[in-house]
Amino acid sequence: MGINLEDPAVAVRESRLGSVTGYCGSARELCRKSRGCTLCDQSRAFTQCISCSANQVMNQLVFIQDAAVVEHGPAGCSGDIPGRNITGRSGRKKRGLPVRNLRYINTNLEERDIIYGGADKLRTAVRAAEQRFRPRAVFVTTTCASAIIGDDVSGICDEMEKEIGIPVVPIFCEGFRSKVWATGFDAAYHGILRKIVKPPKRRQPDMVNVINFQGRDVFSRPFGQLGLWPNYIVPYTTVERLSHISEAAASVQICSTLGTYLAAGLEEYYGVPEVKAPLPFGVAGTDAFLRELGRVTHRESEAEDYIRSEKERIAPELDRLRGRLRGKRAFIGAGAAHAHGMAAVVRELSMELVGNCVWHHDAVFDSGDARSDTLAHDVETYGDFGIDVCNKQSYELVNMLNRARPDIYIARHAGTVWATKLGIPSFLMADEHFGIGYEGLLRMGRLILDTVSHPQFVRNIAAHGRLPYTKWWLEQKPTYFLGGGAE
Ligand code: SF4
């Protein structure tokens, strides 16, 4: 099942990519099963909490500068919005944009609407969004409630588009649609590909789409050396700029978990080549990434010059960091592709990887190209390691951390609080671009060294704190509830 822009709803990752939310074993075996189409999901007999697709849609759409989002659902589904508003305000400030709140409306479905339907509320909300924000496009996102009652969201969007004269884009992302929260990214990109992106009028041979979240600008320098510039999408771009991403020379992504669908869709529908390579983490990954970018944009020699000069530049400090970090034990908890990137970084720093806990696993990415297989890149370049697909289950993570007792826990999204309560030094990779590229490897090395060198603070906290998990649970295998139930 591939990308079908005729269908208003995106195909979910379970069916499209063979994604799973439960696995425990070796990374090599996970790669083998993924490629052989023999990977089966293992369900849990107990689940603590998970993310939902509707949440991940917001991760991209509410940050488009001149768009508005109408979420068709109960007010409770907007629980993530206050936090996103803070992110959006600080993100705008970092980019020199006027600080303001998100342009978001929730239709506030209530009991009465569940019985009689919420179509009128949706129409009213879209009109209000148009009048209040004067956007260039409105995205209408679904939730469990609006999907269950069966409101004709697609039909209402078409009707409202005619009435207000701007794209009104339905995004089908209700939480129960997919077990894999990352399907929400695909849902957002599906709507953008269907209704915002226009066929190219001309090619822009120096523009490279960078599918990303909110990270710092780490691409202008290397891309500049190749005569390219990064077009960061989707947060903080505009509807007009999004309409032209079909004109780019190539698309890259900072995380294949995030960008697989958009990159593949742009290639399939508009001929924009996706850079099919490991993510630019660690020397090996960055080499391969830049070489492939150079190849698809016809800048091979510039890429080689840049690779050579950068490797010479970082060599002395990289040697020093490797000497200081050799044998230190790292545990990583992150989204799948990002965790693979972090795994490359710690092993290039001569550290031992004692745990890699990923939120879900995609058996393949949308391109279907083995060069984009970030996990296989790790296994082939650095050797096998243990991996757990934990679906963001904190109870499993705490159990694993307690057993592994690493020198450092590196987290993306969540978990540093648990490491701290266990007396394990940690940091949160809030800026997902922090470890990218040659300089990112050094940045990571410095931060890891600083963190492992100062463990006393968290040890003090652990000595005076109490875990909410019982002794019984910490003595069980972390996979106790995986595969259908307890023994
Ligand atoms: S869409 Fe469904 S799963 Fe997501 S927040 Fe709303 S009710 Fe919860």
Side-chain angles (χ1 to χ4, degrees), residues 3-12 140 142 152-155 157-158 168-174 177 186-195 261:
I3 296 173
N4 177 11
L5 299 185
E6 299 301 313
D7 194 331
V10 75
V12 299
V140 174
T142 60
D152 177 15
V153 172
S154 218
C157 284
D158 288 346
V168 180
V169 187
I171 306 286
F172 294 94
C173 55
E174 56 273 15
R177 175 177 283 272
D186 313 334
Y189 297 148
H190 187 73
I192 288 171
L193 282 167
R194 286 184 71 238
K195 304 273 278 188
Y261 193 82

mmCIF file of all heavy atoms in Angstrom, residues 3-12 140 142 152-155 157-158 168-174 177 186-195 261:
data_model
loop_
_atom_site.group_PDB
_atom_site.id
_atom_site.type_symbol
_atom_site.label_atom_id
_atom_site.label_comp_id
_atom_site.label_asym_id
_atom_site.label_seq_id
_atom_site.Cartn_x
_atom_site.Cartn_y
_atom_site.Cartn_z
ATOM 1 N N ILE A 3 1.297 5.559 -1.554
ATOM 2 C CA ILE A 3 0.726 6.888 -1.340
ATOM 3 C C ILE A 3 -0.363 7.102 -2.378
ATOM 4 O O ILE A 3 -0.126 6.984 -3.573
ATOM 5 C CB ILE A 3 1.839 7.946 -1.463
ATOM 6 C CG1 ILE A 3 2.855 7.717 -0.338
ATOM 7 C CG2 ILE A 3 1.265 9.345 -1.458
ATOM 8 C CD1 ILE A 3 4.085 8.567 -0.424
ATOM 9 N N ASN A 4 -1.564 7.393 -1.914
ATOM 10 C CA ASN A 4 -2.695 7.576 -2.815
ATOM 11 C C ASN A 4 -3.388 8.886 -2.477
ATOM 12 O O ASN A 4 -4.179 8.955 -1.533
ATOM 13 C CB ASN A 4 -3.672 6.394 -2.690
ATOM 14 C CG ASN A 4 -4.888 6.591 -3.569
ATOM 15 O OD1 ASN A 4 -4.930 7.491 -4.413
ATOM 16 N ND2 ASN A 4 -5.898 5.756 -3.372
ATOM 17 N N LEU A 5 -3.085 9.911 -3.245
ATOM 18 C CA LEU A 5 -3.629 11.231 -2.937
ATOM 19 C C LEU A 5 -5.084 11.385 -3.381
ATOM 20 O O LEU A 5 -5.707 12.404 -3.097
ATOM 21 C CB LEU A 5 -2.754 12.329 -3.564
ATOM 22 C CG LEU A 5 -1.294 12.369 -3.088
ATOM 23 C CD1 LEU A 5 -0.569 13.560 -3.685
ATOM 24 C CD2 LEU A 5 -1.200 12.419 -1.558
ATOM 25 N N GLU A 6 -5.615 10.373 -4.060
ATOM 26 C CA GLU A 6 -7.041 10.415 -4.402
ATOM 27 C C GLU A 6 -7.888 10.189 -3.151
ATOM 28 O O GLU A 6 -9.019 10.654 -3.053
ATOM 29 C CB GLU A 6 -7.386 9.306 -5.415
ATOM 30 C CG GLU A 6 -6.660 9.411 -6.734
ATOM 31 C CD GLU A 6 -6.962 10.725 -7.426
ATOM 32 O OE1 GLU A 6 -8.145 11.082 -7.496
ATOM 33 O OE2 GLU A 6 -6.011 11.394 -7.856
ATOM 34 N N ASP A 7 -7.344 9.437 -2.210
ATOM 35 C CA ASP A 7 -8.087 9.111 -0.988
ATOM 36 C C ASP A 7 -7.927 10.250 0.019
ATOM 37 O O ASP A 7 -6.795 10.668 0.297
ATOM 38 C CB ASP A 7 -7.516 7.801 -0.403
ATOM 39 C CG ASP A 7 -8.419 7.210 0.659
ATOM 40 O OD1 ASP A 7 -9.122 7.992 1.332
ATOM 41 O OD2 ASP A 7 -8.413 5.984 0.827
ATOM 42 N N PRO A 8 -9.014 10.777 0.569
ATOM 43 C CA PRO A 8 -8.881 11.886 1.531
ATOM 44 C C PRO A 8 -8.093 11.481 2.790
ATOM 45 O O PRO A 8 -7.490 12.335 3.428
ATOM 46 C CB PRO A 8 -10.315 12.236 1.908
ATOM 47 C CG PRO A 8 -11.173 11.568 0.917
ATOM 48 C CD PRO A 8 -10.416 10.436 0.307
ATOM 49 N N ALA A 9 -8.108 10.193 3.131
ATOM 50 C CA ALA A 9 -7.430 9.760 4.368
ATOM 51 C C ALA A 9 -6.141 9.018 4.029
ATOM 52 O O ALA A 9 -6.075 8.271 3.053
ATOM 53 C CB ALA A 9 -8.351 8.857 5.182
ATOM 54 N N VAL A 10 -5.141 9.218 4.862
ATOM 55 C CA VAL A 10 -3.869 8.532 4.658
ATOM 56 C C VAL A 10 -3.998 7.069 5.077
ATOM 57 O O VAL A 10 -4.762 6.749 5.996
ATOM 58 C CB VAL A 10 -2.759 9.240 5.473
ATOM 59 C CG1 VAL A 10 -2.860 8.946 6.958
ATOM 60 C CG2 VAL A 10 -1.369 8.868 4.970
ATOM 61 N N ALA A 11 -3.267 6.189 4.382
ATOM 62 C CA ALA A 11 -3.215 4.788 4.828
ATOM 63 C C ALA A 11 -2.340 4.729 6.084
ATOM 64 O O ALA A 11 -1.262 5.334 6.121
ATOM 65 C CB ALA A 11 -2.622 3.915 3.725
ATOM 66 N N VAL A 12 -2.779 3.993 7.096
ATOM 67 C CA VAL A 12 -2.054 4.001 8.372
ATOM 68 C C VAL A 12 -0.747 3.211 8.263
ATOM 69 O O VAL A 12 -0.569 2.387 7.365
ATOM 70 C CB VAL A 12 -2.921 3.417 9.518
ATOM 71 C CG1 VAL A 12 -4.170 4.255 9.709
ATOM 72 C CG2 VAL A 12 -3.273 1.955 9.260
ATOM 73 N N VAL A 140 -8.631 21.215 8.852
ATOM 74 C CA VAL A 140 -9.662 20.690 9.757
ATOM 75 C C VAL A 140 -9.240 19.288 10.178
ATOM 76 O O VAL A 140 -9.134 18.390 9.330
ATOM 77 C CB VAL A 140 -11.035 20.657 9.075
ATOM 78 C CG1 VAL A 140 -12.059 19.966 9.973
ATOM 79 C CG2 VAL A 140 -11.494 22.072 8.738
ATOM 80 N N THR A 142 -9.599 15.747 12.501
ATOM 81 C CA THR A 142 -10.626 14.936 13.166
ATOM 82 C C THR A 142 -10.102 14.387 14.493
ATOM 83 O O THR A 142 -8.892 14.377 14.747
ATOM 84 C CB THR A 142 -11.044 13.753 12.279
ATOM 85 O OG1 THR A 142 -9.897 12.948 12.022
ATOM 86 C CG2 THR A 142 -11.651 14.220 10.971
ATOM 87 N N ASP A 152 -19.593 14.340 8.150
ATOM 88 C CA ASP A 152 -18.992 14.330 6.806
ATOM 89 C C ASP A 152 -17.960 15.458 6.712
ATOM 90 O O ASP A 152 -18.206 16.515 6.116
ATOM 91 C CB ASP A 152 -20.098 14.502 5.756
ATOM 92 C CG ASP A 152 -19.527 14.565 4.350
ATOM 93 O OD1 ASP A 152 -18.342 14.196 4.159
ATOM 94 O OD2 ASP A 152 -20.255 15.004 3.441
ATOM 95 N N VAL A 153 -16.811 15.224 7.317
ATOM 96 C CA VAL A 153 -15.793 16.277 7.406
ATOM 97 C C VAL A 153 -15.289 16.664 6.015
ATOM 98 O O VAL A 153 -15.108 17.843 5.709
ATOM 99 C CB VAL A 153 -14.638 15.822 8.326
ATOM 100 C CG1 VAL A 153 -13.488 16.807 8.289
ATOM 101 C CG2 VAL A 153 -15.148 15.659 9.758
ATOM 102 N N SER A 154 -15.101 15.675 5.165
ATOM 103 C CA SER A 154 -14.599 15.959 3.814
ATOM 104 C C SER A 154 -15.587 16.843 3.040
ATOM 105 O O SER A 154 -15.199 17.845 2.428
ATOM 106 C CB SER A 154 -14.418 14.624 3.088
ATOM 107 O OG SER A 154 -13.298 14.651 2.293
ATOM 108 N N GLY A 155 -16.869 16.462 3.105
ATOM 109 C CA GLY A 155 -17.901 17.211 2.382
ATOM 110 C C GLY A 155 -18.017 18.637 2.925
ATOM 111 O O GLY A 155 -18.144 19.598 2.145
ATOM 112 N N CYS A 157 -15.673 20.364 4.398
ATOM 113 C CA CYS A 157 -14.478 21.122 3.997
ATOM 114 C C CYS A 157 -14.630 21.630 2.565
ATOM 115 O O CYS A 157 -14.320 22.790 2.267
ATOM 116 C CB CYS A 157 -13.225 20.255 4.120
ATOM 117 S SG CYS A 157 -12.678 20.033 5.815
ATOM 118 N N ASP A 158 -15.134 20.759 1.674
ATOM 119 C CA ASP A 158 -15.344 21.190 0.281
ATOM 120 C C ASP A 158 -16.337 22.358 0.224
ATOM 121 O O ASP A 158 -16.131 23.346 -0.485
ATOM 122 C CB ASP A 158 -15.888 20.023 -0.560
ATOM 123 C CG ASP A 158 -14.816 18.969 -0.810
ATOM 124 O OD1 ASP A 158 -13.620 19.268 -0.577
ATOM 125 O OD2 ASP A 158 -15.162 17.851 -1.215
ATOM 126 N N VAL A 168 -9.519 24.542 2.331
ATOM 127 C CA VAL A 168 -9.960 24.006 3.629
ATOM 128 C C VAL A 168 -9.667 22.506 3.563
ATOM 129 O O VAL A 168 -10.301 21.769 2.804
ATOM 130 C CB VAL A 168 -11.458 24.288 3.888
ATOM 131 C CG1 VAL A 168 -11.870 23.705 5.242
ATOM 132 C CG2 VAL A 168 -11.729 25.790 3.865
ATOM 133 N N VAL A 169 -8.678 22.082 4.320
ATOM 134 C CA VAL A 169 -8.056 20.772 4.116
ATOM 135 C C VAL A 169 -8.461 19.800 5.224
ATOM 136 O O VAL A 169 -8.120 20.025 6.394
ATOM 137 C CB VAL A 169 -6.513 20.916 4.115
ATOM 138 C CG1 VAL A 169 -5.863 19.590 3.737
ATOM 139 C CG2 VAL A 169 -6.071 22.041 3.185
ATOM 140 N N PRO A 170 -9.176 18.735 4.895
ATOM 141 C CA PRO A 170 -9.505 17.755 5.944
ATOM 142 C C PRO A 170 -8.298 16.875 6.249
ATOM 143 O O PRO A 170 -7.598 16.439 5.333
ATOM 144 C CB PRO A 170 -10.626 16.924 5.306
ATOM 145 C CG PRO A 170 -10.371 17.009 3.840
ATOM 146 C CD PRO A 170 -9.705 18.317 3.575
ATOM 147 N N ILE A 171 -8.080 16.643 7.538
ATOM 148 C CA ILE A 171 -6.965 15.789 7.971
ATOM 149 C C ILE A 171 -7.577 14.699 8.857
ATOM 150 O O ILE A 171 -8.071 14.991 9.957
ATOM 151 C CB ILE A 171 -5.930 16.594 8.805
ATOM 152 C CG1 ILE A 171 -5.443 17.839 8.051
ATOM 153 C CG2 ILE A 171 -4.785 15.692 9.239
ATOM 154 C CD1 ILE A 171 -4.493 17.573 6.921
ATOM 155 N N PHE A 172 -7.514 13.459 8.403
ATOM 156 C CA PHE A 172 -8.142 12.370 9.166
ATOM 157 C C PHE A 172 -7.097 11.729 10.086
ATOM 158 O O PHE A 172 -6.235 10.983 9.629
ATOM 159 C CB PHE A 172 -8.763 11.364 8.194
ATOM 160 C CG PHE A 172 -9.911 11.979 7.443
ATOM 161 C CD1 PHE A 172 -9.714 12.553 6.197
ATOM 162 C CD2 PHE A 172 -11.169 12.038 8.016
ATOM 163 C CE1 PHE A 172 -10.763 13.162 5.524
ATOM 164 C CE2 PHE A 172 -12.229 12.643 7.354
ATOM 165 C CZ PHE A 172 -12.026 13.210 6.103
ATOM 166 N N CYS A 173 -7.199 12.054 11.357
ATOM 167 C CA CYS A 173 -6.133 11.675 12.286
ATOM 168 C C CYS A 173 -6.684 11.249 13.650
ATOM 169 O O CYS A 173 -5.973 11.315 14.660
ATOM 170 C CB CYS A 173 -5.180 12.852 12.474
ATOM 171 S SG CYS A 173 -6.013 14.366 12.998
ATOM 172 N N GLU A 174 -7.946 10.825 13.704
ATOM 173 C CA GLU A 174 -8.517 10.413 14.991
ATOM 174 C C GLU A 174 -7.630 9.359 15.644
ATOM 175 O O GLU A 174 -7.080 8.488 14.957
ATOM 176 C CB GLU A 174 -9.951 9.903 14.808
ATOM 177 C CG GLU A 174 -10.142 8.777 13.835
ATOM 178 C CD GLU A 174 -10.349 9.237 12.385
ATOM 179 O OE1 GLU A 174 -10.079 10.401 12.082
ATOM 180 O OE2 GLU A 174 -10.766 8.402 11.569
ATOM 181 N N ARG A 177 -7.637 5.562 14.849
ATOM 182 C CA ARG A 177 -7.387 5.131 13.469
ATOM 183 C C ARG A 177 -6.138 4.258 13.381
ATOM 184 O O ARG A 177 -6.062 3.330 12.592
ATOM 185 C CB ARG A 177 -7.234 6.359 12.579
ATOM 186 C CG ARG A 177 -6.860 6.053 11.132
ATOM 187 C CD ARG A 177 -6.800 7.347 10.329
ATOM 188 N NE ARG A 177 -8.131 7.820 10.012
ATOM 189 C CZ ARG A 177 -8.812 7.441 8.937
ATOM 190 N NH1 ARG A 177 -8.279 6.592 8.093
ATOM 191 N NH2 ARG A 177 -10.020 7.896 8.707
ATOM 192 N N ASP A 186 2.033 11.585 8.905
ATOM 193 C CA ASP A 186 1.648 11.243 7.534
ATOM 194 C C ASP A 186 0.308 11.892 7.177
ATOM 195 O O ASP A 186 0.118 12.341 6.040
ATOM 196 C CB ASP A 186 1.534 9.720 7.369
ATOM 197 C CG ASP A 186 2.724 8.985 7.953
ATOM 198 O OD1 ASP A 186 3.804 9.591 8.021
ATOM 199 O OD2 ASP A 186 2.561 7.817 8.353
ATOM 200 N N ALA A 187 -0.604 11.915 8.151
ATOM 201 C CA ALA A 187 -1.925 12.514 7.892
ATOM 202 C C ALA A 187 -1.775 13.998 7.552
ATOM 203 O O ALA A 187 -2.407 14.510 6.617
ATOM 204 C CB ALA A 187 -2.835 12.322 9.110
ATOM 205 N N ALA A 188 -0.931 14.696 8.310
ATOM 206 C CA ALA A 188 -0.703 16.123 8.045
ATOM 207 C C ALA A 188 -0.101 16.308 6.647
ATOM 208 O O ALA A 188 -0.546 17.153 5.858
ATOM 209 C CB ALA A 188 0.227 16.708 9.100
ATOM 210 N N TYR A 189 0.894 15.502 6.317
ATOM 211 C CA TYR A 189 1.563 15.644 5.018
ATOM 212 C C TYR A 189 0.648 15.225 3.864
ATOM 213 O O TYR A 189 0.739 15.777 2.767
ATOM 214 C CB TYR A 189 2.844 14.803 4.995
ATOM 215 C CG TYR A 189 3.876 15.246 6.009
ATOM 216 C CD1 TYR A 189 4.738 14.330 6.595
ATOM 217 C CD2 TYR A 189 3.994 16.587 6.376
ATOM 218 C CE1 TYR A 189 5.690 14.735 7.521
ATOM 219 C CE2 TYR A 189 4.937 16.996 7.301
ATOM 220 C CZ TYR A 189 5.781 16.069 7.877
ATOM 221 O OH TYR A 189 6.711 16.470 8.788
ATOM 222 N N HIS A 190 -0.212 14.256 4.140
ATOM 223 C CA HIS A 190 -1.174 13.820 3.119
ATOM 224 C C HIS A 190 -2.054 15.005 2.716
ATOM 225 O O HIS A 190 -2.262 15.267 1.529
ATOM 226 C CB HIS A 190 -2.018 12.681 3.696
ATOM 227 C CG HIS A 190 -2.924 12.014 2.727
ATOM 228 N ND1 HIS A 190 -2.470 11.172 1.738
ATOM 229 C CD2 HIS A 190 -4.282 12.061 2.590
ATOM 230 C CE1 HIS A 190 -3.500 10.725 1.031
ATOM 231 N NE2 HIS A 190 -4.607 11.248 1.532
ATOM 232 N N GLY A 191 -2.546 15.733 3.706
ATOM 233 C CA GLY A 191 -3.387 16.903 3.429
ATOM 234 C C GLY A 191 -2.603 17.978 2.677
ATOM 235 O O GLY A 191 -3.119 18.599 1.730
ATOM 236 N N ILE A 192 -1.361 18.192 3.079
ATOM 237 C CA ILE A 192 -0.530 19.204 2.403
ATOM 238 C C ILE A 192 -0.286 18.802 0.949
ATOM 239 O O ILE A 192 -0.398 19.620 0.034
ATOM 240 C CB ILE A 192 0.803 19.375 3.174
ATOM 241 C CG1 ILE A 192 0.539 20.111 4.497
ATOM 242 C CG2 ILE A 192 1.835 20.124 2.336
ATOM 243 C CD1 ILE A 192 1.725 20.141 5.441
ATOM 244 N N LEU A 193 0.055 17.528 0.730
ATOM 245 C CA LEU A 193 0.311 17.065 -0.642
ATOM 246 C C LEU A 193 -0.943 17.155 -1.511
ATOM 247 O O LEU A 193 -0.879 17.485 -2.694
ATOM 248 C CB LEU A 193 0.812 15.616 -0.614
ATOM 249 C CG LEU A 193 2.276 15.404 -0.222
ATOM 250 C CD1 LEU A 193 2.554 13.930 0.078
ATOM 251 C CD2 LEU A 193 3.222 15.899 -1.315
ATOM 252 N N ARG A 194 -2.096 16.864 -0.914
ATOM 253 C CA ARG A 194 -3.336 16.849 -1.697
ATOM 254 C C ARG A 194 -3.816 18.253 -2.056
ATOM 255 O O ARG A 194 -4.273 18.477 -3.167
ATOM 256 C CB ARG A 194 -4.466 16.168 -0.899
ATOM 257 C CG ARG A 194 -4.350 14.655 -0.814
ATOM 258 C CD ARG A 194 -5.550 14.063 -0.089
ATOM 259 N NE ARG A 194 -6.758 14.152 -0.881
ATOM 260 C CZ ARG A 194 -7.868 14.762 -0.508
ATOM 261 N NH1 ARG A 194 -7.959 15.332 0.666
ATOM 262 N NH2 ARG A 194 -8.919 14.783 -1.292
ATOM 263 N N LYS A 195 -3.709 19.177 -1.060
ATOM 264 C CA LYS A 195 -4.434 20.429 -1.253
ATOM 265 C C LYS A 195 -3.561 21.693 -1.275
ATOM 266 O O LYS A 195 -4.052 22.752 -1.637
ATOM 267 C CB LYS A 195 -5.476 20.589 -0.131
ATOM 268 C CG LYS A 195 -6.457 19.434 -0.022
ATOM 269 C CD LYS A 195 -7.660 19.589 -0.911
ATOM 270 C CE LYS A 195 -8.693 20.482 -0.283
ATOM 271 N NZ LYS A 195 -9.949 20.526 -0.991
ATOM 272 N N TYR A 261 6.840 10.011 4.659
ATOM 273 C CA TYR A 261 5.689 10.108 3.752
ATOM 274 C C TYR A 261 5.804 11.318 2.823
ATOM 275 O O TYR A 261 5.576 11.215 1.616
ATOM 276 C CB TYR A 261 4.408 10.199 4.583
ATOM 277 C CG TYR A 261 3.140 9.994 3.794
ATOM 278 C CD1 TYR A 261 2.684 8.716 3.501
ATOM 279 C CD2 TYR A 261 2.393 11.074 3.334
ATOM 280 C CE1 TYR A 261 1.522 8.518 2.769
ATOM 281 C CE2 TYR A 261 1.229 10.891 2.608
ATOM 282 C CZ TYR A 261 0.790 9.602 2.334
ATOM 283 O OH TYR A 261 -0.365 9.408 1.610
#
